[in-house]
Amino acid sequence: MKRVVIDTDAGVDDSIAIAYASRFPDVTIELITTVSGNVPVSEVTQNVLYLRGILGVNSPVFSGAGAPRSRELVTAPEVHGEDGVGGYRKSEGISFRGWETGGAASEIVRAARKYGRKLTIISLGPMTNIAQAVMLDAAAIKGIGNVVQMGGVFSGYGNTSLFTEFNIFVDPESASFVLESGVKVTFVPLDLTETLFLPRELANELLMKINESSPDLAQLFRKALNYYIDYHKRNDKLDGCFLHDAIAVAAAIHPEWFRFIGSSVSVETQGKLTAGMTLADFRKKAGRESSRIAVAFDGVRFMTDLSRRVFGYRVGTSTVSQKCLRERFVADFRNHLR
Ligand code: RIB
Ligand code: CA
């Protein structure tokens, strides 16, 4: 049995990731904690509470940090909608009251103390809650099996400021604090997650497949995914969307689908233009292989598995190869010589 804690800023791709993680019989989601990122933590928490209900998951949910460690919160409603799920929850008038506010960090520590090496923390948002948990009990967090962080970008452009990825950009101080505390982090960066996408046409085909069995999930994902894809169409000229967080879940549950390299990773926190930048010394000059970076994965295996588990329909390997894989642009000045 693999035991995981999911820390999330749900978020459309987070919602797909949580649904994916919930569909592994040999995985127990011991705890879901929420953090401000894509949208404020109050919206994230309502999304998780709603998703938990329609997925039939009984994991405890605790809300966490409403703001980054030491800077103003930056959210992404243009990407995920004001409510974090493409406006679906607002349009349906779905809201929850009376959940336990706070407690995320202490609950993460409780799970770490209880399960130790058997536990994996899957962090899908800014690292604010993770840093608070390290502050409470660094030894407990260092003593777990793995911290898998969707985040960072190590070659090429980012998705927030020029060279930064959103989760680290929102709270670079927390990311830096966790790394400087000696916690081993496995990064699943944009370099990898942007090499695969879910085309709109395929997304809508898959949604038809679950419409009968899970109409609530189909309605949620239909509105959320199409909003999220519309953003990618405007911003990335891509009629589809990235599944960043679901790939991080796969890296935690099926690491054998991935290739990792060890490296020190540092986070820039001071730069006016570079705060949130993740720096890996692949030449190993720093000597500390304190982290791992996922640099390749079997995208076909991932996508066929995700489609089967979440949508109940296994997309064919040739369809994935032809329609879901892509080259990622890396800033190479020689490109401009042509
Ligand atoms: O940069 C992508 C990451 O930022 C994803 O986790 C997305 O949900 C946002 O949190
Ligand atoms: Ca996320």
Side-chain angles (χ1 to χ4, degrees):
M1 177 61 69
K2 183 175 273 285
R3 300 178 186 280
V4 303
V5 166
I6 296 178
D7 188 67
T8 177
D9 64 338
V12 177
D13 65 318
D14 303 66
S15 301
I16 298 285
I18 292 167
Y20 185 40
S22 74
R23 295 299 193 241
F24 286 86
D26 57 343
V27 172
T28 301
I29 304 175
E30 297 293 345
L31 169 68
I32 303 177
T33 51
T34 60
V35 65
S36 282
N38 290 320
V39 290
V41 67
S42 57
E43 298 293 343
V44 175
T45 307
Q46 294 189 68
N47 293 336
V48 171
L49 290 170
Y50 180 64
L51 195 58
R52 179 179 69 167
I54 58 177
L55 290 172
V57 167
N58 58 11
S59 315
V61 176
F62 283 85
S63 68
R69 185 180 172 90
S70 54
R71 53 182 70 217
E72 289 295 307
L73 174 62
V74 172
T75 55
E78 73 283 3
V79 185
H80 298 267
E82 291 293 337
D83 65 357
V85 281
Y88 176 75
R89 204 169 34 76
K90 297 280 185 204
S91 64
E92 296 295 312
I94 299 166
S95 66
F96 294 82
R97 296 274 177 268
W99 68 77
E100 283 289 311
T101 51
S106 51
E107 290 302 318
I108 292 170
V109 168
R110 185 204 305 266
R113 287 173 180 162
K114 183 174 180 183
Y115 296 114
R117 292 267 168 247
K118 293 189 176 67
L119 186 71
T120 297
I121 293 174
I122 305 175
S123 175
L124 305 177
M127 299 180 78
T128 319
N129 288 341
I130 312 302
Q132 289 180 4
V134 171
M135 278 187 282
L136 288 175
D137 188 342
I141 304 302
K142 285 184 199 174
I144 72 167
N146 197 0
V147 176
V148 177
Q149 173 67 42
M150 190 281 135
V153 56
F154 296 93
S155 62
Y157 295 147
N159 64 357
T160 312
S161 60
L162 190 54
F163 291 109
T164 61
E165 177 281 326
F166 180 79
N167 286 335
I168 310 301
F169 172 84
V170 167
D171 192 349
E173 284 78 13
S174 286
S176 182
F177 177 79
V178 171
L179 291 168
E180 294 306 314
S181 301
V183 174
K184 287 190 178 299
V185 176
T186 296
F187 284 91
V188 182
L190 289 184
D191 314 71
L192 192 67
T193 64
E194 288 187 343
T195 63
L196 179 140
F197 73 108
L198 175 61
R200 190 193 305 265
E201 179 193 356
L202 181 56
N204 287 323
E205 275 172 39
L206 290 173
L207 288 163
M208 295 298 287
K209 302 290 182 188
I210 60 168
N211 201 35
E212 292 296 314
S213 58
S214 315
D216 291 340
L217 200 61
Q219 284 167 28
L220 168 66
F221 282 165
R222 180 170 295 108
K223 192 164 175 82
L225 277 171
N226 278 293
Y227 185 99
Y228 184 51
I229 290 170
D230 287 347
Y231 167 78
H232 287 74
K233 180 89 172 160
R234 293 192 305 275
N235 191 65
D236 303 281
K237 310 291 178 277
L238 192 67
D239 197 27
C241 63
F242 296 127
L243 299 174
H244 306 289
D245 291 337
I247 294 172
V249 164
I253 297 173
H254 279 292
E256 73 277 10
W257 296 351
F258 291 73
R259 282 181 54 209
F260 302 93
I261 54 172
S263 173
S264 66
V265 174
S266 306
V267 179
E268 166 61 58
T269 58
Q270 304 301 316
K272 180 169 174 290
L273 301 175
T274 55
M277 196 168 171
T278 44
L279 301 139
D281 184 348
F282 294 109
R283 301 161 303 165
K284 303 200 189 331
K285 287 278 189 272
R288 291 181 302 126
E289 286 195 20
S290 54
S291 296
R292 290 193 311 171
I293 301 169
V295 294
F297 79 130
D298 185 341
V300 172
R301 186 76 185 271
F302 160 75
M303 196 66 168
T304 53
D305 190 62
L306 176 122
S307 61
R308 179 176 65 82
R309 289 184 192 274
V310 175
F311 298 97
Y313 173 77
R314 185 182 179 282
V315 176
T317 52
S318 57
T319 301
V320 175
S321 303
Q322 289 157 26
K323 296 189 173 179
C324 303
L325 305 181
R326 68 190 286 272
E327 286 296 312
R328 183 176 184 268
F329 173 71
V330 173
D332 178 332
F333 300 121
R334 285 166 296 179
N335 292 341
H336 301 287
L337 289 175
R338 297 187 195 115

